[in-house]
Amino acid sequence: MKEIIKLLKEDKILRLTVVITLAIVAFIVGSCLFNPLLLLWALIALLSIALVMAIGIAVYAFIDDVFNI
């Protein structure tokens, strides 16, 4: 247990990962307790963002392939 605490104190990336994971878990639990539809809207927003990113990656790959820059 002391090794885990020591590792958390020293490694900034691990600490950031733990904070982000706990924030996501807190958001999901809080939204389920407060308003379950909030979780649905957050999921729709995340899927929309992922779709826009996928389209952007496809356009970037197409331009990179066509112009060979």
Side-chain angles (χ1 to χ4, degrees):
M1 186 68 174
K2 290 181 182 180
E3 294 174 9
I4 295 174
I5 294 172
K6 183 180 177 184
L7 187 63
L8 278 172
K9 286 182 180 179
E10 293 175 358
D11 193 3
K12 290 183 180 182
I13 296 173
L14 179 63
R15 196 176 337 144
L16 183 63
T17 304
V18 169
V19 168
I20 290 172
T21 305
L22 288 176
I24 291 170
V25 169
F27 174 74
I28 290 172
V29 170
S31 64
C32 285
L33 292 175
F34 180 68
N35 187 1
L37 286 178
L38 185 65
L39 188 60
L40 177 67
W41 283 109
L43 182 65
I44 291 171
L46 286 174
L47 288 176
S48 301
I49 290 169
L51 179 65
V52 169
M53 288 177 63
I55 291 171
I57 290 170
V59 169
Y60 176 81
F62 176 74
I63 291 172
D64 188 42
D65 187 44
V66 169
F67 292 114
N68 290 329
I69 297 174

